[in-house]
Amino acid sequence: MAISGEERHAPAGGDSAGGKIWNLCRMPFRQAGAAPAPPPSSSGIHHSAGRYGHEAPVAGDGAGGAQVAPAGSISSVAKSLLPARRRLRLDPANKLYFPYEPGKQVKSAIRIKNTSKSHVAFKFQTTAPKSCFMRPPGAILSPGETIIATVFKFVEHPENNENVLQKCKVKFKILSLKVKGPMEYAPELFDEQKDQAVVEKILRVVFLDAQTPSPQLEKLNNQLAEAEAALEARKKPAEENGPKIVGEGLVIDEWKERRERYLAQQQVEVADSV
């Protein structure tokens, strides 16, 4: 009768302890189906698993290594994605209010303040240039300077009895541009530096019932009064606004007073000598 290998080497007497030792000796030191260890990389740099379970790429040699983008290009891309910083503060912020008077030219006003630390030029644009114009159409504001601009619009009679108070397609756009310093305003500034110009706001036209009191109508009338007062102050001659400075800082009025006192003193001295 054939004897198997297990029975041939089994200890006599059914010693359980010897059987356990023999079973331990029969355990393989290496699994037959185990995959061989991968060879070491030629560059000596491996991809290690990240702490969140994905592989973190590491730059290596040759074409297979990951390319790291320069910091400058990353910052430029990030800046392009961020919204442009506003240079002007507008009041009202989103709308232009006009009193509704069909067949007449009406006025609106908007307060514009330069909130940046540099000189800023602003410019108006409108979707209805034939029926609207602005005063001023543009200007240069120093840091912290405020101006009230007046907007004029001709109101046409409604067609087909449409409710113009609730619907108006006319819009205004305010552009801003950072300039180097105080200078004369020229519309060509925005043509020469189109890439630097920023759209501050697009304002929608809203008509107000001129016969019905409202907070918006009261605020509009106050702003229009301020704009008219500022315009009249700019029209006054320089001598009416204060003493005129000439030469090396001499004030004309003060110079006249000194001259008159000197002549009076000379006359007194001459009289005493006689």
Side-chain angles (χ1 to χ4, degrees), residues 2 27 34 51 61 63 70 90 102-103 127 132 134 150 164 177 198 200 215 222 226 229 231 263:
M27 293 181 64
R51 60 181 297 183
D61 300 335
L90 309 178
T127 57
C132 303
M134 289 67 66
T150 307
V164 184
L177 177 67
V198 175
E200 290 287 338
N222 292 336
E226 291 185 38
L231 180 62
L263 293 176

Side-chain angles (χ1 to χ4, degrees), residues 96 123-126 132-138 149-152 172:
L96 276 179
K123 175 184 177 181
F124 272 101
Q125 288 183 346
T126 178
C132 303
F133 69 94
M134 289 67 66
R135 187 179 66 194
T150 307
V151 185
F152 298 83
F172 290 85

Side-chain angles (χ1 to χ4, degrees), residues 88-90 110-113 122 124 141 145-147 149:
L88 304 176
R89 181 186 300 165
L90 309 178
I110 181 171
R111 189 186 305 272
I112 304 174
K113 181 178 181 180
F122 75 88
F124 272 101
L141 301 178
E145 184 179 359
T146 301
I147 188 174

Side-chain angles (χ1 to χ4, degrees), residues 53 75 84 144:
S75 60

Side-chain angles (χ1 to χ4, degrees), residues 88-142:
L88 304 176
R89 181 186 300 165
L90 309 178
D91 182 24
N94 301 305
K95 301 175 183 178
L96 276 179
Y97 295 99
F98 290 88
Y100 183 62
E101 299 180 18
K104 296 183 180 180
Q105 180 176 274
V106 295
K107 294 185 294 184
S108 180
I110 181 171
R111 189 186 305 272
I112 304 174
K113 181 178 181 180
N114 179 9
T115 57
S116 68
K117 298 180 180 180
S118 59
H119 286 73
V120 173
F122 75 88
K123 175 184 177 181
F124 272 101
Q125 288 183 346
T126 178
T127 57
K130 294 183 179 181
S131 61
C132 303
F133 69 94
M134 289 67 66
R135 187 179 66 194
I140 294 180
L141 301 178
S142 59

Side-chain angles (χ1 to χ4, degrees), residues 211-232:
Q211 307 301 326
T212 304
S214 64
Q216 293 85 358
L217 186 60
E218 181 180 358
K219 182 177 180 180
L220 173 60
N221 293 332
N222 292 336
Q223 287 186 337
L224 289 173
E226 291 185 38
E228 291 296 330
L231 180 62
E232 292 297 328

